[in-house]
Amino acid sequence: MGLFLLLGLFAFCVVVGTPVAFALGISAIAAFWFEGLPLMIGFQRIVSGINVFSLMAIPFFIFAGELMFHGGIAIRLVRFASAAVGAVRGGLGIVNVFSSMLFGGISGSAVADISALGSILVPVMKEKGYDADYAVNVTVTSSIAGIIIPPSHNMIIFAIAAGGGISISKLFLAGVVPGVLMCLCLAVAAYVVAVRRGYRAEKFPGWTVLGLSFVGAIPGLFTAVIIVGGVLSGVFTVTESGAFGTIYAFVVTLLVYRSINWETFKVAVRQSVRTTAMVMILIACAGAFAYMLTFYRVPDKTVALLTGITDDPIMILLMINAVLLILGMIMDMAALILICTPIFLPVASNLGMDPLQFGMMLMVNLGLGLCTPPVGACLFVGCAVGKLPIEKAVRTIWPFYLAILVALMMITFVPAISLTLPRLLGA
């Protein structure tokens, strides 16, 4: 009855439109009350959920992403990507994918990726004769590269949800190859669809233009070098690298690119505070909710349920993927990381899957959920930017879904994709 109350009340709150963070907190406190546990313990669990030093890196990453979004870094990355791969058939689609890979690796945010690159590339693609649904679909699906390619604040949330025993620097390393692999799969899909629709290639601008665009993009790209390189080299902690990366992004946008002013700076600060507050409230309430899941032994029961259906590791992993994909369609990503990690990580570990590999599988699954209705934040933002009805985008987005699913299956069943770099460089 207690578990039914916990899950049932949470589902009811989500259905009636209660914010997910408050739904987690309300259902957890109700379960504490039902079991006769002191409510003070519940509130202590809420506070302890955010009393983690590593979480201080999240507001820095978010603020750095906002500064880069408003500070002109995105347009320079687009110019470089266009000069490099724009001459391929359907080149602007591939430019979109690789711009997302570059910008996502700096901002670490899928929504920032869509907002920054979509507002630049979608109108240009329409002007060059690309259909609106193609432009929106490429932008939406490629944006989740920011979730996987480091730095990513979602990886920090995963490390906390996994009990804090996973190295964030190794998580960053583990995300490089899967993120690039997913972008390559999306680039192939973009090329195939472009050929089928008869889109033309752009003219190669010449090596001089390519070199100049690369030089112009270097200051922005160096933000990722500071953040990720500082962590991996041991010079900075994750929090320190986020702070230095934010300072560097501010200096670059203010003094080098000179593309940020007082008004855009205030917008970046306001958006960062709002996003950080949402994430922290969510993490806090999810701490109490996860405590009650453990109290009711949900992870153990999940292991027993899945192994009772089949003892084939492949089928169990496919079932986990299916559940994560379905949940990703209806819930916020950060909340699902906090809820699903303590449930499914023990199952994957019992099958011999490394936590780093499970983290990458989780990120891709839930990232795909961001592109899928009914609660696909990236899909909504992309359609708003492209001025396209959601139903039109969904009808033709399946080749890009298929590309991400191919990458997901490779990440799930080929451990070397996620583990090679951490083993080589993360020792």
Side-chain angles (χ1 to χ4, degrees), residues 92-415:
L92 281 181
I94 300 175
V95 167
N96 201 321
V97 173
F98 283 97
S99 297
S100 293
M101 185 175 73
L102 294 172
F103 187 74
I106 298 174
S107 71
S109 170
V111 175
D113 191 342
I114 293 177
S115 302
L117 299 179
S119 59
I120 297 169
L121 280 169
V122 172
V124 173
M125 292 178 72
K126 288 181 179 179
E127 184 181 329
K128 296 289 185 179
Y130 291 82
D131 295 319
D133 62 328
Y134 176 83
V136 169
N137 290 338
V138 173
T139 305
V140 167
T141 52
S142 63
S143 67
I144 63 176
I147 298 168
I148 305 166
I149 297 177
S152 168
H153 65 265
N154 288 294
M155 290 186 182
I156 300 175
I157 296 174
F158 169 71
I160 300 301
I166 300 177
S167 166
I168 296 176
S169 61
K170 288 188 177 182
L171 272 174
F172 282 180
L173 283 171
V176 174
V177 177
V180 173
L181 172 65
M182 188 191 69
C183 288
L184 289 174
C185 291
L186 284 171
V188 171
Y191 173 78
V192 171
V193 174
V195 170
R196 290 185 60 184
R197 296 191 180 189
Y199 299 143
R200 61 184 180 85
E202 299 295 313
K203 183 180 178 181
F204 180 63
W207 293 104
T208 302
V209 174
L210 176 60
L212 290 175
S213 63
F214 175 68
V215 171
I218 285 177
L221 290 171
F222 205 69
T223 309
V225 175
I226 290 177
I227 295 175
V228 181
V231 174
L232 300 183
S233 64
V235 175
F236 302 137
T237 65
V238 175
T239 303
E240 291 168 348
S241 70
F244 277 98
T246 302
I247 294 171
Y248 176 80
F250 177 70
V251 171
V252 167
T253 54
L254 181 66
L255 300 180
V256 179
Y257 293 153
R258 299 182 181 181
S259 51
I260 195 168
N261 53 38
W262 177 242
E263 292 302 319
T264 54
F265 178 77
K266 288 193 295 185
V267 171
V269 171
R270 185 164 55 247
Q271 288 295 113
S272 300
V273 171
R274 181 181 301 170
T275 304
T276 300
M278 291 169 55
V279 171
M280 291 303 181
I281 293 173
L282 184 61
I283 294 173
C285 294
F289 190 86
Y291 179 86
M292 292 310 297
L293 289 177
T294 305
F295 179 85
Y296 291 122
R297 300 181 61 198
V298 172
D300 295 337
K301 293 176 181 177
T302 304
V303 173
L305 175 63
L306 293 178
T307 54
I309 296 173
T310 177
D311 57 358
D312 185 355
I314 294 177
M315 291 304 301
I316 293 175
L317 289 176
L318 288 175
M319 286 191 290
I320 293 175
N321 275 308
V323 172
L324 291 174
L325 283 172
I326 293 171
L327 291 175
M329 296 178 186
I330 59 176
M331 278 187 63
D332 180 74
M333 180 176 185
L336 283 175
I337 292 174
L338 294 163
I339 295 171
C340 294
T341 299
I343 296 175
F344 292 114
L345 179 56
V347 180
S349 297
N350 286 346
L351 299 176
M353 176 179 278
D354 190 282
L356 297 177
Q357 183 187 1
F358 174 80
M360 298 308 107
M361 183 182 81
L362 178 72
M363 295 293 169
V364 176
N365 266 297
L366 303 185
L368 184 56
L370 292 175
C371 307
T372 310
V375 192
C378 290
L379 182 63
F380 291 152
V381 174
C383 289
V385 170
K387 297 179 174 60
L388 180 74
I390 291 177
E391 57 271 17
K392 288 188 177 180
V394 172
R395 275 201 294 265
T396 56
I397 202 172
W398 64 266
F400 304 98
Y401 280 167
L402 183 61
I404 297 175
L405 286 173
V406 170
L408 174 60
M409 291 299 101
M410 295 175 67
I411 293 167
T412 301
F413 297 110
V414 183

Side-chain angles (χ1 to χ4, degrees), residues 23-54:
L24 289 169
I26 291 169
S27 56
I29 294 300
F32 270 92
W33 171 80
F34 179 81
E35 295 295 340
L37 299 172
L39 293 183
M40 182 59 68
I41 297 178
F43 290 107
Q44 286 175 347
R45 298 304 305 181
I46 290 175
V47 173
S48 65
I50 54 175
N51 190 22
V52 180
F53 182 76
S54 298

